Amino acid sequence: VANTLNGFAACARGDAGVLAALREATLGQPLDAWNTQEVATSLQALAVLRVDDDEWVSYLCRAALGHPPSSYLPPEAAMLAWACAALSVGSQQMLRLVVEALDTCITGMDRNSLRQVHQFFLSCRHDPTLSRAAPAGWGLLEGLEGAKCRAAFEPLPGELRASSLQRDVADTLTAMGATFEEEAVEPVTGYSLDMLVGEGGEG
């Protein structure tokens, strides 16, 4: 089930009939049948596919809770964190598991995992569901590791390439005499904006 879900997520495709069958297969398994990799990749897949199914998500969260935080490898902990953020998971137990898992392995995470954790931190701060349910320890963890996660989230030189539409918009703004900055980094979240037009729209 986990491998099939992950395959659909990698293709960004979610056939309704197949997803229904996978849902039934998932809920039909005992909770202890899932290892840490399977539950982490499955939750991430549901998030990528934007599956809005509280029962399915809740089942996988309960399966995740069947493993101690220290048993999750760095990529798995990062996937859990990102999935909780993307799915707006409000389970206090689940978020405590995520924070404790991150605390045990965040120092061993690669750039991709740190980027996922950055988005989890943002959700704990700005998503009302997560901010109410997240344990107090997330703030301490962000204080210790947040800068590293934010740095990993920002694009490296050459990673971003302007689309033809973006170039057309830039040319139009230039012809209008507007001031703008391409690929501007939003200071609060770290997200890159295709174009940030100056206040007033004119130079």
Side-chain angles (χ1 to χ4, degrees):
V1 174
N3 288 336
T4 305
L5 268 175
N6 195 44
F8 272 96
C11 299
R13 295 182 59 185
D15 179 271
V18 174
L19 286 178
L22 289 171
R23 179 187 189 278
E24 183 177 352
T26 299
L27 300 181
Q29 294 191 57
L31 291 172
D32 60 5
W34 298 78
N35 62 37
T36 55
Q37 181 182 21
E38 290 169 340
V39 75
T41 56
S42 295
L43 276 169
Q44 178 176 254
L46 293 190
V48 170
L49 295 170
R50 300 181 181 180
V51 173
D52 184 14
D53 189 317
D54 290 342
E55 184 180 5
W56 198 352
V57 172
S58 177
Y59 169 89
L60 288 172
C61 286
R62 294 198 306 275
L65 288 165
H67 302 280
S70 59
S71 66
Y72 287 93
L73 298 175
E76 296 165 356
M79 283 190 283
L80 285 182
W82 183 83
C84 284
L87 294 167
S88 196
V89 171
S91 164
Q92 292 181 340
Q93 286 182 301
M94 184 63 186
L95 295 179
R96 185 178 301 110
L97 169 72
V98 168
V99 170
E100 291 178 0
L102 292 176
D103 189 44
T104 64
C105 64
I106 195 169
T107 56
M109 288 186 176
D110 62 15
R111 181 169 176 252
N112 286 335
S113 292
L114 291 173
R115 289 166 63 88
Q116 290 185 306
V117 176
H118 173 68
Q119 293 173 85
F120 173 72
F121 286 156
L122 286 178
S123 292
C124 286
R125 187 172 298 281
H126 299 290
D127 182 332
T129 299
L130 269 76
S131 63
R132 285 193 298 266
W138 86 264
L140 177 61
L141 185 62
E142 184 193 34
L144 293 172
E145 305 290 350
K148 180 170 66 176
C149 296
R150 166 64 183 271
F153 190 73
E154 293 188 11
L156 297 175
E159 278 190 334
L160 299 177
R161 295 183 179 180
S163 65
S164 58
L165 175 60
Q166 185 176 337
R167 296 305 323 144
D168 289 343
V169 172
D171 291 342
T172 300
L173 289 173
T174 299
M176 294 170 58
T179 58
F180 61 92
E181 179 184 356
E182 293 190 68
E183 306 302 346
V185 175
E186 201 282 318
V188 175
T189 64
Y191 281 98
S192 175
L193 308 176
D194 287 347
M195 213 162 293
L196 181 63
V197 180
E199 186 175 355
E202 295 185 359

